[in-house]
């Protein structure tokens, strides 16, 4: 749907940009601007109508481009509206622009056009960079409840947590390969995926290039997945089967004990499944006296309820860190955290902004990431 929204938005924004931009350009420049915007819009319309029939990397780039232009145009439109507001204030209070000579007004309009263009282009590059080049966030976590006072930690385990890869039309095979390379570079003992590994249609995930890449996700203590809300959108059974096809283990309201019960790994199903178990029910019966307890759940809606469980570290995704500013504010309002870490009753909560993005490879105000934890106890 984001592709449809982008085309509809450009239908209204492009004429506005052409009109405002034309005021700063000469006759020839005005025609070039109208032609460029019309050709771009026509390309996006054709791509929108045919993209489901042409599943190719180049089509993915075109569709990503339409969303890039959409969101960057929104930020550019904000600049134009701000300039118009300043001009209105000047007209009411000061008159610097209103009574300026024509040649100065022309210079101001040209400067405003250049500023808007710079903001638009900058947003294109920043939005692309924030997705395509994930950051690695490394943290040490000392589980003091498992270490006697005065003693040093004897065990160390490195886990890599990623979520929201969203394999699909936007997240192409080359990007999936880059994400997997980055995960394996951290030399993990344990690899964990927090859901939304497939965006919508399973055929993109079953691309032979993607399958070959995802089968490389191997760690000495195993690779474990949980489901997110996107796995329930379409082809749910195929999305579930994908995990076993790549050699990983899927946890759905279940507990795993990797490497001779060194730790307890709990995986909870997503909230889309209304019949899923409660956190208390899933963690009931776990002996946490000698081992860490980790909980994976895609959506961070139940983070306030883990104080009644033996969980040491809860790993979530789903929020994308807001993905598009000011989405961070809305996510924080809903969950009390957009991304990052917090503590609840002495338990560590991690909400990852995700290694991919939904709809298109575009982020503003947040960045793709993987999380690396070195656990000591």
């Amino acid at each position: 749907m984001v592709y449809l929204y982008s085309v509809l938005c450009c239908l209204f924004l492009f004429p506005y940009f052409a009109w405002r931009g034309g005021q700063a350009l000469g006759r020839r420049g005005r025609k070039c601007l109208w032609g460029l915007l019309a050709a771009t819009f026509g390309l996006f319309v054709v791509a929108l109508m045919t993209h489901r029939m042409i599943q190719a990397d180049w089509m993915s780039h075109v569709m990503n481009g339409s969303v890039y232009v959409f969101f960057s145009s929104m930020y550019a439109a904000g600049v134009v509206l701000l300039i118009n507001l300043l001009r209105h204030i000047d007209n009411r209070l000061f008159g610097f622009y209103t009574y300026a000579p024509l040649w100065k007004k022309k210079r101001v309009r040209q400067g405003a056009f250049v500023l808007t263009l710079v903001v638009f282009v900058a947003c294109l590059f920043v939005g692309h960079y924030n997705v395509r080049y994930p950051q690695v966030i490394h943290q040490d976590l000392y589980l003091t409840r498992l270490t006697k006072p005065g003693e040093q930690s004897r065990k160390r385990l490195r886990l890599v947590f990623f979520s929201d890869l969203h394999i699909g039309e936007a997240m192409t095979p080359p990007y999936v390969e880059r994400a997997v390379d980055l995960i394996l570079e951290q030399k993990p003992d344990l690899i964990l995926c927090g859901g939304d590994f497939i965006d919508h249609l399973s055929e993109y995930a079953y691309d032979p290039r993607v399958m070959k890449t995802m089968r490389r996700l191997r760690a000495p203590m195993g690779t474990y997945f949980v489901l997110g809300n996107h796995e329930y959108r379409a082809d749910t059974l195929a999305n579930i089967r994908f995990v076993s096809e790549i050699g990983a283990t899927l946890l759905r309201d279940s507990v795993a004990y990797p490497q001779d019960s060194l730790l307890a790994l709990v995986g909870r199903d997503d909230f889309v499944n209304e019949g899923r178990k409660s956190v208390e029910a899933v963690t009931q019966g776990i002996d946490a006296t000698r081992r860490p307890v980790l909980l994976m759940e895609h959506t961070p809606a139940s983070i306030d309820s883990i104080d009644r469980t033996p969980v040491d570290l809860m790993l979530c995704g789903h929020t994308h860190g807001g993905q598009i500013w000011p989405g961070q504010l809305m996510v924080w309002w809903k969950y009390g955290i957009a991304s990052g870490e917090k503590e609840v009753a002495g338990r560590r909560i991690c909400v990852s902004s995700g290694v991919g993005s939904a709809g298109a490879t575009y982020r503003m105000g947040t960045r793709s990431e993987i999380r690396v934890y070195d656990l000591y106890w």
Side-chain angles (χ1 to χ4, degrees), residues 324-370:
I324 307 294
W325 187 89
Q328 291 85 343
L329 300 177
M330 293 180 283
V331 172
W332 179 86
W333 179 267
K334 185 173 183 178
Y335 297 113
I337 182 173
S339 64
E341 287 196 346
K342 65 184 293 187
E343 282 198 7
V344 174
R347 276 77 167 176
R348 187 75 66 90
I349 308 292
C350 167
V351 179
S352 173
S353 66
V355 73
S357 61
T361 56
Y362 192 97
R363 285 177 179 263
M364 191 62 64
T366 182
R367 191 173 168 191
S368 295
E369 67 180 29
I370 63 170

Side-chain angles (χ1 to χ4, degrees), residues 311-333:
V311 171
D312 294 298
L313 173 63
M314 181 179 185
L315 301 166
C316 303
H318 183 65
T319 67
H320 297 205
Q323 187 162 333
I324 307 294
W325 187 89
Q328 291 85 343
L329 300 177
M330 293 180 283
V331 172
W332 179 86
W333 179 267

